Amino acid sequence: MKLDEYLRENYSASSTGSYLNTIGHYLAYMGDRAEKATHGEVMEYIGHLRSRNLHPKSVRNHLHGIKIYHSYLQAAGKREDHPCKHLRLKDRVDKQIHTESLYSREELREYYDGFPEGKEKIIAGLLVFQALTVQEISG
């Protein structure tokens, strides 16, 4: 069984492309060591990703791809153990709202003005001008 066949059988079509991409980066970095990589070598690769200042979520996504790759090796009979099956990363993810990425007053006004009079405009007003969440409005 080939890697892409394994991915298509076990994951959605949209995920398959992403996994092939992250696994491809791992294979390019590891070279011939990839199939027989140890826990330490996987950690070395994680260190390489961190040194590139990737966002912690991206590093976790790469690790997920590596885990899938090693699960594939087990399923294909190329490997008995899994070097990173229980590996969990504890990088802190910044969940702060960066105000520079928010909409300006003019953009919010334009959004609100785009609604026709009625229930939708009232809901948009609550979202835009009162900063209510969807959960608060539905309550």
Side-chain angles (χ1 to χ4, degrees), residues 2-139:
K2 292 184 179 180
L3 177 60
D4 59 337
E5 293 170 356
Y6 174 81
L7 292 173
R8 278 195 294 271
E9 284 179 19
N10 294 287
Y11 300 96
S12 69
S14 60
S15 297
T16 299
S18 175
Y19 295 146
L20 281 171
N21 184 38
T22 56
I23 293 168
H25 286 284
Y26 175 68
L27 295 176
Y29 179 85
M30 296 296 286
D32 296 337
R33 303 179 298 158
E35 276 193 27
K36 299 191 184 325
T38 64
H39 178 83
E41 290 172 319
V42 171
M43 288 304 299
E44 172 192 319
Y45 179 68
I46 297 299
H48 165 73
L49 295 174
R50 286 178 174 149
S51 72
R52 293 178 47 213
N53 293 319
L54 290 181
H55 191 277
K57 275 186 167 181
S58 295
V59 176
R60 278 192 288 202
N61 289 341
H62 277 267
L63 175 59
H64 186 66
I66 295 166
K67 287 180 177 186
I68 289 171
Y69 172 70
H70 286 287
S71 294
Y72 153 72
L73 292 175
Q74 285 181 306
K78 296 180 179 184
R79 185 173 184 139
E80 291 184 24
D81 65 328
H82 194 301
C84 57
K85 185 174 189 167
H86 301 291
L87 179 59
R88 303 280 184 265
L89 301 179
K90 295 184 178 182
D91 296 286
R92 185 174 174 271
V93 177
D94 181 12
K95 294 183 179 179
Q96 293 179 340
I97 296 173
H98 298 279
T99 56
E100 66 274 3
S101 67
L102 298 177
Y103 295 105
S104 69
R105 286 182 188 207
E106 294 80 23
E107 290 171 318
L108 290 172
R109 172 56 77 176
E110 187 178 316
Y111 172 76
Y112 174 74
D113 289 341
F115 282 93
E117 294 298 323
K119 192 186 308 184
E120 289 86 10
K121 189 160 193 143
I122 293 169
I123 293 171
L126 292 171
L127 288 167
V128 171
F129 300 114
Q130 300 298 316
L132 295 181
T133 64
V134 174
Q135 186 177 14
E136 291 169 330
I137 292 172
S138 65

